[in-house]
Every structure is written in C-alpha cells, then in structure tokens.
Amino acid sequence: MGNKNKTISFRVNEDAFETLREIAEERDISLSAVFRDYVDTLVAHDGQVQVVPEHELEEMQSGDDEESFPPTVEVPKSFIREHERLELEADHLREQLEEHKRYVNYLREQLEDDEEEVIQLEDLDAGETDEPSFRLG
C-alpha cells in the first residue's frame, strides 16, 4: 500500500496532443506509457534530460563513439525478480503495520472505556466511613 501510483493531469494544445498520439502509435504503446517513459527518464537522471531532435541525435551518434543517448543499462532478470519480491514484501509489511496500528488503536479505545469502570482503592477508603470496618485478629 506504500508505493501507490499517482495521477498527473494537465492540458496541452490539440496539435501537441496529436503529435503525442502519433509518437505512441509509432512505438505501439499507450499515450500514458509515453509520459511514464519520459517521467522515468527524468527521475532516473535527476531532472537532467535533454530533448534532442532526431536528426541531431543521429548526427551526434554517427560522429562520436561515445555512449548512446539516452543511456541504457541492462539489468539481469534475477535483479528484477528480487526487486519485485522485495516490493511485494514491503507492501505486505506495510499492510501488517497498518493492521497492528488498527489493533493498538482498538486496544487504546478499550482501555479508555475500561478506565471509566475502574474503582481506585484509595477512593473507597477515603469516601466511605459509614460502613463498619472489620479487623482480623
């Protein structure tokens, strides 16, 4: 329950929307996936993403033997599986924590309700002098 997806909503002009839709169709992905890819890249590079037209990108890549842009990293499937397992475990632990918090709150409420019924012995001794006292031998 911890890492919930959030919705971002904003407006773009019709031309930009159509261009984005074409990009999504070219890549055979949803329009949302286009934005998720961009956001993932932006976050992964700490906001340091440069938008480069395709023709300039091709010129940059043909002229240099440097790494391609955007940089890509191959990750072993075992790493991905372990990451997913840890995310599931974290979700499970968050759910357990919430359950324990609810239980503690329930116990506190029970304690507060029971405090009204508690009779303190000191109050009994001080308040009731009309009754006879008994002493043991």
Side-chain angles (χ1 to χ4, degrees), residues 22-59:
E22 289 172 10
I23 291 170
E25 287 175 6
E26 283 176 18
R27 295 182 183 179
D28 196 28
I29 58 176
S30 69
L31 194 57
S32 296
V34 172
F35 288 105
R36 281 193 297 271
D37 288 349
Y38 178 73
V39 169
D40 291 344
T41 303
L42 189 66
V43 170
H45 294 91
D46 200 27
Q48 302 297 314
V49 177
Q50 180 181 2
V51 178
V52 180
E54 280 187 33
H55 69 277
E56 288 181 23
L57 179 61
E58 291 168 2
E59 289 172 9

Side-chain angles (χ1 to χ4, degrees), residues 11-22:
R11 297 190 179 278
V12 295
N13 67 39
E14 192 172 348
D15 292 337
F17 180 80
E18 289 303 321
T19 303
L20 287 169
R21 188 183 326 192
E22 289 172 10

Side-chain angles (χ1 to χ4, degrees), residues 131-137:
E131 293 183 25
S133 59
F134 297 97
R135 290 189 179 183
L136 296 174

Side-chain angles (χ1 to χ4, degrees), residues 117-134:
E117 299 173 11
V118 173
I119 299 173
Q120 300 293 328
L121 291 176
E122 295 83 26
D123 295 342
L124 286 177
D125 290 341
E128 300 178 12
T129 55
D130 295 344
E131 293 183 25
S133 59
F134 297 97

Side-chain angles (χ1 to χ4, degrees), residues 100-114:
H100 286 291
K101 285 180 181 179
R102 287 192 302 271
Y103 184 66
V104 166
N105 287 335
Y106 168 78
L107 290 176
R108 283 187 179 143
E109 289 172 5
Q110 292 296 322
L111 182 62
E112 289 172 3
D113 292 344
D114 290 345

